[in-house]
Amino acid sequence: MRSTGNLILYREFEDGKLFYDITWIMEHYRDAYYNKEDIESLFYECIGRLMELAESHGFTGNLWHNYMAFLLVNNENAYSRACEIRGAVKGSVNQIAAHDFAVLKEVFDFDMGLLCSYFAVDCAGDILDYSGTDAGGKLFNRRIRDRIRELCDHLERAEDVTSFSDAVTAFYREFGVGKLGLHKAFRVAEGARIVPISNIAHVHLDDLVGYGPAKEKLVANTEAFVSGKAANNCLLYGDAGTGKSTSVKAIANQYYDRGLRLIELYKHQFGDLSEIIAQIKNRNYKFIIYMDDLSFEEFEIEYKYLKAVIEGGLEKKPDNVLIYATSNRRHLIRENYSDKEEIREDMHTSDTVQEKLSLYARFGVTIYFGAPDKREFQRIVTELAKRRHISMGEEELLAGANKWELSHGGLSGRTAQQFIDYLLGIQ
């Protein structure tokens, strides 16, 4: 068996220590130079780590094959990044990747049963045909797990290195590679690290009752963006609970398969914007940097970072990045009447006002989400009740909704949803 030390592109794996421990055992388990008990102990340790991975990710069947597929879909290198979304590429990188795939297929095809027999492992059948618990996969995204398992099936059926590499390349083309390829949404951790959000709400624009023109405007801008056409940064503003945040989440779900990704950023992280953009500007995805409930008090200056990134800095904003923000304010920075008073310490009053309005002006698309009137609120309640199969007379339903909204935040889509959730809870 060829040594995994000869790998070129596929060297740095997630949890790579487990990979190199197991492949080292494959290469040396019969080597008289090493103490058999030490190798056996390491093998049992590796089995335990494979089972932990299987339970946390919901893998079943041959755990070694599942693990190898998991490594391949997460390995970001020159070849996998070139193939993401676009598929097979030309150039010398193909020959180098073919070299690595020849090594990886040999490792993938290694019969783990040989190790189990050699070390007299009494649970060999469970390693080669693992059956997960009912709780399997709770710590991981089930959609991603199913795709990894599907790739595993293709690799098990691959008769040669070409079909093996074709299966991996096809996966990169369809789903992408690494955390940015597999996940829909991300948050920013300390040090400007982009971290996946495993479970994003599976909402769709149709789930938001009403707001037809607003949704059409949002879809038109996003459609242009993912299609590679000119698009604008977008501000969704209006009353609380009217579906602004829900609409952005729905957009992420609707366009994920076309390469759209969502990165959530908080106000105190605006200083990291340039570093975040540097990490994503050369990837084959479209990124929306999402800022929820955006507004600034007079003393807060973080908006200056945002202004520079949106428009005005020396470095051009990449074509694969847009900023979508939601806010209850149309003008994002708090203004005071004193800003327009003639007598004040600031001699250039108009400059002060323009400074505060300039951030809003840098969003090319603004979409208003207003609170529904009484009739529209009742229509939302009726429609949501119908979708959730709540069996209650319309008169009783609307009477309860009217009573609910008086003590739960007034007329809004959020209030309507909360009322429906309350009814579902007491049924």
Side-chain angles (χ1 to χ4, degrees), residues 4-16:
T4 52
N6 294 332
L7 291 170
I8 301 172
L9 293 170
Y10 288 85
R11 292 188 68 88
E12 302 296 329
F13 292 111
E14 183 174 338
D15 193 9

Side-chain angles (χ1 to χ4, degrees), residues 183 227 350:
H183 294 269
S227 299
S350 63

Side-chain angles (χ1 to χ4, degrees), residues 296-315:
F296 301 91
E297 301 302 324
E298 188 175 14
F299 59 86
E300 294 178 312
I301 63 170
E302 288 90 347
Y303 72 91
K304 295 180 184 291
Y305 293 112
L306 183 56
K307 282 174 58 179
V309 169
I310 292 179
E311 183 181 334
L314 289 176
E315 184 176 8

Side-chain angles (χ1 to χ4, degrees), residues 245-411:
S245 301
T246 299
S247 296
V248 177
K249 295 172 187 174
I251 283 293
N253 288 320
Q254 181 168 329
Y255 288 97
Y256 165 75
D257 289 338
R258 293 176 61 182
L260 184 67
R261 304 294 182 263
L262 194 69
I263 301 177
E264 186 173 32
L265 191 71
Y266 295 103
K267 186 164 52 178
H268 70 276
Q269 299 171 318
F270 283 0
D272 294 329
L273 258 173
S274 296
E275 173 60 28
I276 293 164
I277 290 176
Q279 296 178 51
I280 61 178
K281 65 181 181 180
N282 294 322
R283 299 302 295 266
N284 296 316
Y285 307 106
K286 302 289 186 179
F287 295 93
I288 288 176
I289 297 179
Y290 168 51
M291 304 165 183
D292 191 30
D293 198 19
L294 186 63
S295 65
F296 301 91
E297 301 302 324
E298 188 175 14
F299 59 86
E300 294 178 312
I301 63 170
E302 288 90 347
Y303 72 91
K304 295 180 184 291
Y305 293 112
L306 183 56
K307 282 174 58 179
V309 169
I310 292 179
E311 183 181 334
L314 289 176
E315 184 176 8
K316 176 181 177 291
K317 182 169 66 64
D319 293 334
N320 68 330
V321 177
L322 280 185
I323 293 174
Y324 279 19
T326 66
S327 179
N328 294 335
R329 297 177 184 172
R330 181 180 184 183
H331 295 149
L332 300 171
I333 307 168
R334 181 184 291 278
E335 300 175 76
N336 299 315
Y337 282 109
S338 61
D339 291 340
K340 297 186 179 181
E341 290 177 357
E342 294 182 3
I343 302 174
R344 52 180 287 123
E345 293 182 5
D346 190 343
M347 295 177 62
H348 303 285
T349 303
S350 63
D351 291 350
T352 301
V353 175
Q354 288 302 314
E355 167 73 8
K356 293 189 173 185
L357 295 181
S358 61
L359 177 59
Y360 159 75
R362 296 190 182 193
F363 287 92
V365 172
T366 56
I367 304 175
Y368 176 62
F369 286 73
D373 57 21
K374 193 78 168 182
R375 179 177 295 180
E376 180 67 10
F377 174 76
Q378 291 179 340
R379 189 179 80 83
I380 293 172
V381 170
T382 303
E383 179 63 26
L384 291 176
K386 179 181 177 181
R387 293 180 181 181
R388 301 305 297 271
H389 307 291
I390 292 177
S391 55
M392 180 180 291
E394 183 174 340
E395 184 176 344
E396 182 184 1
L397 176 69
L398 296 181
N402 292 336
K403 182 178 178 181
W404 179 273
E405 64 91 2
L406 290 174
S407 57
H408 291 84
L411 301 171

Side-chain angles (χ1 to χ4, degrees), residues 198-210:
S198 294
N199 294 298
I200 182 175
H202 294 291
V203 294
H204 302 278
L205 285 173
D206 290 341
D207 297 332
L208 183 63
V209 181

